[in-house]
Every structure is written in structure tokens, then in C-alpha cells.
Amino acid sequence: MEMTGKITQVLPEKNGTSARGPWRKQEYVIELPGDFPKQVCFMVWGDRIDQYGIREGQELTVSFDLESREFNGRWYTDVKAWRVAPSSSGEPGGEPFRDEPPPFDEEPPF
């Protein structure tokens, strides 16, 4: 899924340690344009926080996945960004930030 809008808030970074090791996440609020603008809070994990360098006021296109989980009978939904790029109406000449590996020159053996 994808959404395009303006970053209205950069929330404080959170970090900790789990059984898998240290983790970091940062949440951002993006305002989606329209007659009745909507605000969506999305998160970025790990080194992507530094890679994207998201700042308040930027016009961005965010590609994301939705994920829900149940805890004690309540459901919680996360909006996890996997790619962030300047929007075509925002910062001209910007290249998308990619977290995908570079293409292979040939098919990998099976």
C-alpha cells in the first residue's frame, strides 16, 4: 500500500533490547490531503531511520504494510514503512530511498 502527504510530526525515537537483540523504531505523523485531511501515524525500524532522514514539513510517498496483533483480547495495528521517497509534488529531483537489494545480473541457481 502507499500514501502521499506531508509530515506533520516526528515523534521521539524508541529503542530497547529483545530476545533477538537491540532494536530502534521511530514514528511519524503524515497528513493526507483532501477535503477532510486524515492523519496517519507510521513507523520506521532500525537503520532505515537514519537512511530516510525524515523531517517535519517534507512531502513524502510512503510504501507500507499493515500488521495487526492481538494482546489480552485487544487488537493493535501497526503501519510499517518499507520504502519512503520524496513525493513528485514535494522535493524536486529526489530519488526514492530504496531498501531493496540491487538487481541480480543473472538468475540465482536453484
Side-chain angles (χ1 to χ4, degrees):
M1 293 184 198
E2 201 172 82
M3 61 184 161
T4 300
K6 183 177 184 177
I7 300 297
T8 59
Q9 288 184 40
V10 176
L11 303 175
E13 182 179 316
K14 297 177 184 174
N15 57 53
T17 304
S18 70
R20 295 182 184 171
W23 57 267
R24 312 167 43 205
K25 79 173 184 176
Q26 186 151 17
E27 295 174 310
Y28 306 88
V29 178
I30 188 169
E31 184 172 274
L32 309 178
D35 291 337
F36 302 99
K38 305 271 189 262
Q39 293 192 335
V40 176
C41 181
F42 69 94
M43 69 179 66
V44 174
W45 285 88
D47 293 337
R48 293 179 184 157
I49 296 168
D50 302 322
Q51 177 187 358
Y52 297 150
I54 299 171
R55 297 177 315 277
E56 197 169 310
Q58 285 182 300
E59 292 279 339
L60 299 175
T61 298
V62 178
S63 299
F64 63 93
D65 290 323
L66 293 175
E67 184 179 317
S68 295
R69 66 192 180 294
E70 184 268 338
F71 180 73
N72 288 339
R74 294 196 59 187
W75 284 89
Y76 299 88
T77 300
D78 290 331
V79 180
K80 294 182 178 181
W82 52 269
R83 182 173 70 192
V84 177
S87 71
S88 57
S89 64
E91 300 173 2
E95 284 295 314
F97 302 105
R98 299 198 186 277
D99 60 352
E100 303 152 3
F104 289 105
D105 291 337
E106 58 186 61
E107 289 286 327
F110 289 97

